[in-house]
């Protein structure tokens, strides 16, 4: 059974930093894409960042470019989201997701971790 478990979310002041982790179990994703999404209060879920493990390519939403960094550790089967210069508008539940290499959708999702940025 595949599981994605996020951790690291908490309350932080504006301008601060956080690192989220997503630990995968049940299979490895070394040939796939892993991503972070977020859902702000009262809004739709939105894409934040993604990493394609095999090529090492990374992708970011414009709203986080230059502030957030996605990375992965194949040995630990874990993906990270380093978030710097946090803003109140970054407040959201952050979800980890995995897209298999042959799929057009994200196939697996974590349960989410709450990030709250106070002004």
């Amino acid at each position: 059974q595949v599981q994605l478990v996020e951790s690291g979310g908490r309350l932080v002041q504006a301008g601060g930093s956080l690192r989220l982790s997503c630990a995968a179990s049940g299979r490895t994703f070394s040939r796939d894409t892993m991503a972070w999404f977020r859902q702000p209060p009262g809004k739709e879920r939105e894409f934040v960042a993604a990493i394609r493990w095999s090529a090492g390519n990374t992708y970011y939403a414009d709203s986080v470019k230059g502030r957030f960094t996605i990375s992965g550790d194949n040995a630990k089967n874990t993906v990270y989201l380093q978030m710097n210069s946090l803003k109140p508008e970054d407040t959201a539940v952050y979800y980890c997701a995995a897209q298999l290499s042959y799929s057009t959708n994200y196939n697996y999702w974590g349960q989410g971790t709450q990030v709250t940025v106070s002004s």
Side-chain angles (χ1 to χ4, degrees):
Q1 182 181 0
V2 175
Q3 281 192 313
L4 303 178
V5 179
E6 304 96 333
S7 61
R10 61 176 176 87
L11 174 65
V12 64
Q13 286 191 332
S17 297
L18 276 179
R19 189 178 81 155
L20 304 183
S21 300
C22 172
S25 61
R27 63 163 286 155
T28 59
F29 293 96
S30 58
R31 298 184 178 182
D32 307 307
T33 298
M34 295 193 74
W36 288 94
F37 289 77
R38 67 186 182 186
Q39 186 165 17
K43 297 184 179 181
E44 298 288 317
R45 185 166 58 192
E46 61 187 23
F47 170 79
V48 175
I51 182 167
R52 185 169 295 172
W53 291 71
S54 58
N57 295 337
T58 57
Y59 310 89
Y60 297 94
D62 288 343
S63 58
V64 306
K65 206 170 290 184
R67 300 188 298 122
F68 290 12
T69 303
I70 188 170
S71 62
D73 186 332
N74 271 322
K76 295 182 178 179
N77 214 23
T78 298
V79 65
Y80 305 98
L81 184 68
Q82 177 66 43
M83 306 187 294
N84 299 328
S85 302
L86 283 161
K87 305 175 182 180
E89 51 263 43
D90 294 319
T91 294
V93 178
Y94 283 72
Y95 297 92
C96 176
Q99 180 184 43
L100 302 177
S101 60
Y102 54 81
S103 176
T104 57
N105 300 313
Y106 282 90
N107 307 92
Y108 304 103
W109 293 85
Q111 82 289 348
T113 186
Q114 176 70 47
V115 172
T116 302
V117 184
S118 63
S119 56

